[in-house]
């Protein structure tokens, strides 16, 4: 009887180990830097999308994919997506999380007034400073970034500006857009 119990325990332990580790080894490899899992195929990448899409989440795409490819994988945008807040043909980057901004305040389900937004690709310093989160220094850096690099193709590229980190980006992302 004791041998049977020990045998069942060992078999259970082996099963747990096999089902926990073997799928991770055979299907993908972890980067070790974060929770992002990359597919073994080096031409594939896992990209996240959130905001005003039908199915927010992480999706596997080919290198060189565009924002539209990612949006399509997520089931498309919903009726509250602000099309001015992304370029469909913008090439997406590996290990990036993309956000589709809303037209209307998602906290006010009855709102019929669009969120007042500023175009970060052509606003002057004074206009940029009207956005809560952009002071004098950050507004100057945004203009300098545009002068050095051209326009912003994704909202997330704002985080390439000196002085804008995750917290500032989260604060301003609903109040800016990229194009008319």
């Amino acid at each position: 009887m004791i041998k049977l119990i020990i045998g069942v325990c060992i078999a259970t332990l082996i099963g747990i180990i096999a089902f926990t580790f073997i799928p991770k080894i055979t299907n993908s490899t972890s980067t070790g830097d974060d929770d992002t899992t990359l597919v073994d195929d080096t031409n594939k990448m896992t990209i996240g999308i959130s905001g005003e899409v039908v199915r927010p989440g992480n999706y596997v795409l080919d290198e060189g994919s565009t924002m539209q490819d990612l949006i399509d994988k997520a089931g498309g945008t919903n009726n509250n997506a602000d099309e001015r807040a992304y370029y469909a043909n913008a090439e997406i980057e590996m290990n990036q999380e993309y956000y589709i901004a809303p037209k209307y305040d998602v906290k006010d389900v009855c709102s019929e007034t669009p969120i007042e937004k500023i175009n970060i690709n052509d606003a002057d310093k004074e206009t940029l400073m009207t956005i809560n989160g952009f002071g004098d220094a950050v507004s100057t850096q945004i203009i300098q970034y545009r002068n050095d690099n051209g326009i912003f193709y994704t909202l997330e590229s704002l985080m390439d500006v000196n002085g804008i980190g995750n917290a500032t980006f989260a604060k301003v992302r609903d109040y800016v857009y990229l194009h008319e």
Side-chain angles (χ1 to χ4, degrees):
M1 182 70 170
I2 292 178
K3 288 181 181 180
L4 178 62
I5 293 173
I6 292 173
V8 169
C9 290
I10 291 173
T12 303
L13 187 58
I14 290 171
I16 290 171
I17 291 170
F19 285 113
T20 302
F21 295 109
I22 291 176
K24 289 181 182 175
I25 293 169
T26 58
N27 292 336
S28 62
T29 58
S30 175
T31 62
D33 296 333
D34 55 26
D35 293 335
T36 305
T37 301
L38 302 176
V39 178
D40 283 339
D41 185 346
T42 57
N43 295 327
K44 301 277 186 186
M45 56 187 177
T46 302
I47 304 294
I49 188 167
S50 61
E52 303 304 310
V53 291
V54 175
R55 292 185 311 271
N58 294 316
Y59 297 94
V60 176
L61 294 161
D62 292 324
E63 248 183 75
S65 292
T66 65
M67 182 68 76
Q68 189 62 54
D69 296 329
L70 179 58
I71 289 169
D72 290 345
K73 281 275 193 172
T77 57
N78 65 31
N79 61 357
N80 193 29
D82 187 348
E83 298 84 15
R84 302 172 309 159
Y86 65 90
Y87 281 102
N89 63 346
E91 191 171 313
I92 55 177
E93 298 176 22
M94 187 181 314
N95 297 327
Q96 183 70 266
E97 174 81 23
Y98 292 94
Y99 176 74
I100 304 300
K103 288 181 203 172
Y104 304 97
D105 187 353
V106 293
K107 295 174 215 122
D108 183 1
V109 294
C110 297
S111 178
E112 293 181 11
T113 306
I115 299 170
E116 289 188 38
K117 298 184 179 199
I118 305 293
N119 185 334
I120 60 169
N121 281 321
D122 67 11
D124 61 20
K125 181 177 173 179
E126 290 73 28
T127 304
L128 288 169
M129 288 176 52
T130 64
I131 299 171
N132 185 14
F134 290 167
D136 181 67
V138 170
S139 296
T140 300
Q141 289 295 319
I142 289 171
I143 292 169
Q144 185 62 50
Y145 180 91
R146 288 189 324 220
N147 291 338
D148 294 345
N149 302 291
I151 66 171
F152 294 93
Y153 284 98
T154 65
L155 293 178
E156 291 71 21
S157 57
L158 268 172
M159 290 188 286
D160 294 336
V161 173
N162 189 21
I164 300 178
N166 291 333
T168 300
F169 176 71
K171 188 175 188 177
V172 303
R173 67 187 184 181
D174 288 343
Y175 302 99
V176 297
Y177 66 96
L178 305 170
H179 62 88
E180 296 299 327

